[in-house]
Amino acid sequence: MAAGRTRTGRFDHATGRRRGRPWVVLGIGAALALAACVPGQGEGTEDPATETASQAEGPAELVIWTDPNRQVGFEMYQDENPEVDLQIETLPDDIESRLQLANQAGEGWPDMIVVKTQQMAAFADAPYEFSADISPYVPEDLLGEFSPAILDLCTDGDALYCINNDLSPLVLWYDKDLMEEFGYELPTTWEEFEALGLQLAEEHPGYIMGHIATMQYLPVSRCPMAQVVGDMSLQVDLEDPNCTRVFEMIDNMLAAGALSPMSPNDPEFIADYAANRHLLMSVQPLHRGQYGFINAYEWPEGSVGIAPPLRWEDEDEVHNYYGGGVAYAVSRHSEHLEAAAELAAWMATGPYQTAPETPTFPAYRPAQDNWIENHTDMFYVEDGELGDVVEASESQLSPYWDELNVGSIRSSYAQAVEPGLRQGESIFDLVPAWQELIVNEAQAAGWTVEEG
């Protein structure tokens, strides 16, 4: 365990079992309207990994579908383990259809996939039926060294369907040089964030405080977008005050020109605001410091400031949100389950996690101090040290983020809200259609929905 940190156990000590979580899969327009997509909820739910392929003897040959960012880790493993033959392939954009085609053909599955943690719920169940339970091959004490609750996204009871690579809570990124030039102080509350944005828009037109292309501001306000309240029961209430205070902030800042409706990855956003350093600050996940501000925006190291997550003025606690991360899932069709599971555990806990070139913050706690040391000179911290900011952002994750697969409704926000914001519409005018979309998809998936 990383020195100087207190870890809350993620095991149920009364039963000795790992705690799972309900998975809410609202696949907009996709064939995910199945109660079986939610392990442990509803009747007729089957164990998604009761059948696995016959195991082969001899040296393992493993096909890996990975994003480019993790490829260096697999290459490190190959160098250290030449007896294992890794065939490393780029994760296909159409992974869902590729897996279904493999199911139909009875062949063509990879032995492992690397995908966003929020997607993992779908791959364990119909129509994909991909992920295997790898708990027999991964020691319990190893899993106990992960950040609290993070593996709950990969578990159902005693079954383990994936292993998390990284943790990416929201933090406040800012331009250290601009803050000094303009003479501004860092906000600590959302109200101060809004006020500074309006001041910035008035005093320095053309400079902004971030983007609103995703719904990341809502979980930190505990807005009940689709909150699990019981067995196959959801509450959806976008008129709740915890939602409307966010909508008011967004409308005010958009109208003043202090926020952009574009994604921070859009080439236009990068050209208009980020690369020319007209971006004063932005609430983004932890991994975006190196990926976004240094690599994509090309800000010099040391000019990228990082500050703890914000709270609401009338609340004593921060309710932070987990904004990113990937996980490793092993195929139940693999003929080398043990070797694939050992590879997944190595990627999540081994030397790759402590290498200087690894940009993401490890979910495995013993590797976290190494990441902090490797990135200390990269980012500027006004008060304290980088480890203090990371600890604050990680330790203050709201339980709400663990109750709902928030990532599963991002597509509905992009469909119902984002286009209107780009056209200059008020978010209040767009929210009713968004709520209707969430409710319809949840009901189609077998959920009872309580509105208001």
Side-chain angles (χ1 to χ4, degrees):
M1 185 185 304
R5 298 181 183 223
T6 301
R7 176 175 56 80
T8 302
R10 59 170 303 280
F11 297 97
D12 186 332
H13 295 287
T15 64
R17 295 168 65 89
R18 286 193 297 273
R19 294 193 300 273
R21 65 179 289 277
W23 281 337
V24 183
V25 182
L26 308 181
I28 306 301
L32 298 181
L34 299 170
C37 287
V38 189
Q41 300 250 3
E43 297 181 2
T45 300
E46 299 179 357
D47 182 349
T50 54
E51 296 183 7
T52 55
S54 299
Q55 298 299 286
E57 298 181 357
E61 298 180 2
L62 303 176
V63 176
I64 311 298
W65 288 359
T66 182
D67 61 349
N69 300 318
R70 253 53 63 172
Q71 182 167 335
V72 62
F74 288 108
E75 292 171 349
M76 289 173 61
Y77 180 86
Q78 181 70 93
D79 291 341
E80 293 188 12
N81 301 272
E83 73 281 1
V84 179
D85 181 15
L86 297 187
Q87 299 179 35
I88 305 171
E89 302 177 8
T90 300
L91 186 74
D93 293 333
D94 58 344
I95 182 173
E96 293 89 350
S97 59
R98 288 278 297 274
L99 290 179
Q100 291 186 72
L101 287 173
N103 289 345
Q104 295 171 10
E107 60 181 8
W109 302 281
D111 294 274
M112 181 186 297
I113 58 175
V114 183
V115 296
K116 293 180 179 179
T117 304
Q118 292 94 338
Q119 293 178 289
M120 282 298 177
F123 293 123
D125 297 290
Y128 309 110
E129 299 179 327
F130 176 82
S131 307
D133 174 15
I134 57 175
S135 61
Y137 311 108
V138 182
E140 289 273 5
D141 57 353
L142 184 72
L143 297 178
E145 294 291 349
F146 280 75
S147 286
I150 185 64
L151 281 177
D152 288 351
L153 294 166
C154 286
T155 60
D156 182 31
D158 280 341
L160 178 70
Y161 298 113
C162 58
I163 302 180
N164 299 82
N165 175 79
D166 57 300
L167 177 69
S168 196
L170 294 181
V171 295
L172 182 64
W173 294 105
Y174 64 96
D175 188 320
K176 167 184 173 289
D177 300 332
L178 272 185
M179 288 291 289
E180 292 177 353
E181 179 183 342
F182 293 166
Y184 293 152
E185 294 184 1
L186 284 173
T188 60
T189 68
W190 289 105
E191 288 83 356
E192 291 175 355
F193 177 80
E194 178 183 352
L196 181 59
L198 300 180
Q199 180 181 358
L200 175 71
E202 181 178 351
E203 297 177 351
H204 302 280
Y207 289 80
I208 63 169
M209 298 275 287
H211 71 95
I212 190 56
T214 65
M215 28 60 64
Q216 62 184 10
Y217 297 99
L218 293 168
V220 300
S221 185
R222 294 171 294 126
C223 167
M225 296 174 289
Q227 189 169 7
V228 179
V229 294
D231 184 21
M232 293 301 294
S233 179
L234 292 177
Q235 180 190 15
V236 181
D237 183 12
L238 296 181
E239 294 183 353
D240 186 277
N242 285 348
C243 305
T244 56
R245 64 182 177 182
V246 176
F247 301 149
E248 289 175 2
M249 179 184 74
I250 289 172
D251 265 1
N252 291 340
M253 296 183 72
L254 279 174
L259 284 177
S260 168
M262 293 184 288
S263 163
N265 298 317
D266 282 356
E268 187 178 352
F269 179 93
I270 295 175
D272 291 350
Y273 302 111
N276 61 3
R277 301 189 59 180
H278 278 55
L279 178 63
L280 179 66
M281 62 181 60
S282 183
V283 176
Q284 295 191 35
L286 182 60
H287 72 273
R288 291 286 299 171
Q290 185 169 347
Y291 277 142
F293 290 86
I294 291 178
N295 293 351
Y297 303 166
E298 298 183 342
W299 290 14
E301 293 187 12
S303 69
V304 183
I306 180 174
L310 306 174
R311 63 175 177 84
W312 291 93
E313 202 169 68
D314 60 350
E315 298 176 355
D316 294 331
E317 297 181 352
V318 170
H319 301 281
N320 204 17
Y321 167 51
Y322 171 80
V326 300
Y328 305 98
V330 172
S331 171
R332 71 183 63 177
H333 309 286
S334 175
E335 297 180 350
H336 299 280
L337 275 176
E338 183 172 5
E342 290 177 354
L343 171 58
W346 187 95
M347 286 293 296
T349 66
Y352 165 67
Q353 293 295 339
T354 58
E357 60 267 33
T358 301
T360 51
F361 183 66
Y364 183 59
R365 291 183 72 89
Q368 291 176 357
D369 284 344
N370 291 85
W371 185 93
I372 291 170
E373 181 179 354
N374 291 338
H375 291 77
T376 292
D377 294 336
M378 190 175 294
F379 307 127
Y380 170 79
V381 180
E382 184 174 78
D383 295 314
E385 299 178 352
L386 177 60
D388 299 329
V389 177
V390 173
E391 179 70 16
S393 63
E394 177 194 2
S395 64
Q396 298 183 95
L397 284 169
S398 171
Y400 176 76
W401 82 274
D402 191 39
E403 294 172 2
L404 168 68
N405 180 2
V406 180
S408 66
I409 61 172
R410 287 176 178 166
S411 57
S412 67
Y413 180 91
Q415 179 178 339
V417 178
E418 183 182 348
L421 293 181
R422 287 176 177 258
Q423 296 299 318
E425 297 183 50
S426 166
I427 193 170
F428 280 103
D429 294 335
L430 303 169
V431 162
W434 184 30
Q435 175 155 327
E436 182 179 1
L437 188 57
I438 294 173
V439 169
N440 290 342
E441 288 292 329
Q443 291 175 337
W447 291 81
T448 300
V449 179
E450 171 189 335
E451 295 189 71

